[in-house]
Amino acid sequence: MTRDTKPPIRRGFVDIDEGQVHYRTAGEAHDGLPLVMIHPSPGSSLMLVPLMQRLARTRRVVALDTLGNGDSAPPRHLTRDILPYADAHARALAALGIDRFDLYGSHTGGNIACEIAIAHKDRVHRMILDGMSVYAPEEQADLLENYAPGITVDQSGGHIHWIFNFVRDTYLFWPWYKRDKAHVRDVGLPPADVLHDKVIEVLKAARTYHLPYQSALAYDKEARLPLVDVPTLLSVAATDMLAVYFDAVAALLPGAQHLRTPGVSTEGDAETTVAGFLSFLDGR
């Protein structure tokens, strides 16, 4: 498959105890292992399509919507615990017949990936953690209080307006609710189509989008990351608001490889990023 060819994205559902889990997949089975990808919050596996289409040139790629996001069923337990999400992913993959795999997780997806790697070391071959963070206690408390509040759906449509502003402002400020000069991001807004698609994905999960988000914000990385015992690549895009935490995360995984990428904003950037990921996954 040539560099200019982008494999088609196919969609499906798999049943687990909580209900149906929605996934996107691309590429064909080759000699190598499939790559499982877990998306950041908010949104769904749709956010991973630019990476999926390039990574799928040489391997099968599967990206699931986390419970409570996109088109997946909500979690059963409404606690700030990442473990139910990791367990659900592991069961969904087993139901799809995927036993051993490489693993990629971004932001919230990285936290879920860590727990999959800890609980299922025998199933995970290599893992990429893209854009991870380690928050000081006061910062973590502030984020838990303000970053991903629950939403009440109302007849006036106020929740629709709130979600649009929320998704838009995550590109403009970090954190999004501190809208002053000191917290301005310098990346600007994405194309209108990208912004629209992300808003729609969050709207679909308006009642539950905050559950995996809050579980990720509460995740105790200082205690859990040192338990990861699979070959790991820590990566972060230059434009990622979590890039400031890269060194702190790296200190918790001293055996990990490091990669700073240009992200996926342009075709060239995406190709460079994918080349770095494949170099690690292929053991080069």
Side-chain angles (χ1 to χ4, degrees):
M1 189 171 291
T2 67
R3 172 173 170 155
D4 293 332
T5 303
K6 294 180 180 178
I9 302 291
R10 297 178 175 86
R11 301 170 65 182
F13 288 89
V14 62
D15 292 325
I16 61 173
D17 289 344
E18 289 86 346
Q20 290 197 309
V21 172
H22 175 256
Y23 65 91
R24 288 175 168 84
T25 186
E28 304 295 336
H30 295 275
D31 293 336
L33 294 172
L35 174 63
V36 173
M37 304 186 74
I38 312 178
H39 64 85
S41 292
S44 70
S45 56
L46 181 63
M47 277 66 255
L48 295 175
V49 165
L51 286 174
M52 291 180 68
Q53 289 179 317
R54 292 167 174 83
L55 290 163
R57 292 169 181 152
T58 58
R59 63 173 63 215
R60 183 187 179 197
V61 179
V62 179
L64 296 85
D65 293 354
T66 58
L67 294 183
N69 283 161
D71 292 306
S72 285
R76 285 182 172 175
H77 305 290
L78 308 183
T79 62
R80 288 175 174 174
D81 187 352
I82 209 75
L83 294 178
Y85 300 94
D87 180 60
H89 269 72
R91 286 183 281 119
L93 293 171
L96 286 169
I98 300 174
D99 179 49
R100 187 160 166 78
F101 48 88
D102 289 322
L103 186 58
Y104 167 96
S106 176
H107 291 215
T108 296
N111 299 331
I112 296 171
C114 284
E115 287 302 317
I116 294 175
I118 292 169
H120 303 279
K121 176 183 173 182
D122 58 323
R123 296 179 65 185
V124 179
H125 177 239
R126 286 176 175 254
M127 178 169 66
I128 299 173
L129 299 178
D130 191 14
M132 296 288 283
S133 60
V134 179
Y135 303 122
E138 62 277 8
E139 184 181 18
Q140 184 180 47
D142 181 66
L143 290 167
L144 281 168
E145 178 69 22
N146 298 295
Y147 201 92
I151 295 173
T152 299
V153 175
D154 65 78
Q155 289 182 323
S156 67
H159 62 289
I160 298 174
H161 187 247
W162 187 93
I163 287 174
F164 177 85
N165 287 335
F166 163 64
V167 173
R168 179 200 60 196
D169 288 355
T170 59
Y171 291 97
L172 301 178
F173 305 96
W174 168 253
W176 68 269
Y177 51 88
K178 295 186 177 181
R179 301 181 181 93
D180 56 30
K181 185 177 180 180
H183 295 89
V184 171
R185 298 183 65 194
D186 62 357
V187 297
L189 290 174
D193 285 343
V194 173
L195 183 61
H196 169 83
D197 289 346
K198 191 169 184 179
V199 168
I200 294 300
E201 293 301 295
V202 180
L203 277 170
K204 288 193 294 186
R207 299 171 182 86
T208 55
Y209 89 98
H210 62 292
L211 299 173
Y213 226 147
Q214 291 181 358
S215 296
L217 291 171
Y219 186 52
D220 188 356
K221 298 186 187 69
E222 292 185 342
R224 301 302 291 173
L225 262 64
L227 301 180
V228 172
D229 191 25
V230 301
T232 300
L233 174 69
L234 292 178
S235 66
V236 70
T239 55
D240 194 325
M241 66 276 208
L242 302 185
V244 295
Y245 304 100
F246 190 80
D247 291 340
V249 175
L252 297 174
L253 281 170
Q257 297 183 36
H258 300 169
L259 178 67
R260 295 182 182 270
T261 75
V264 297
S265 296
T266 68
E267 289 285 333
D269 288 349
E271 294 293 345
T272 299
T273 296
V274 166
F277 290 166
L278 288 176
S279 180
F280 169 76
L281 294 172
D282 295 338
R284 299 198 297 269

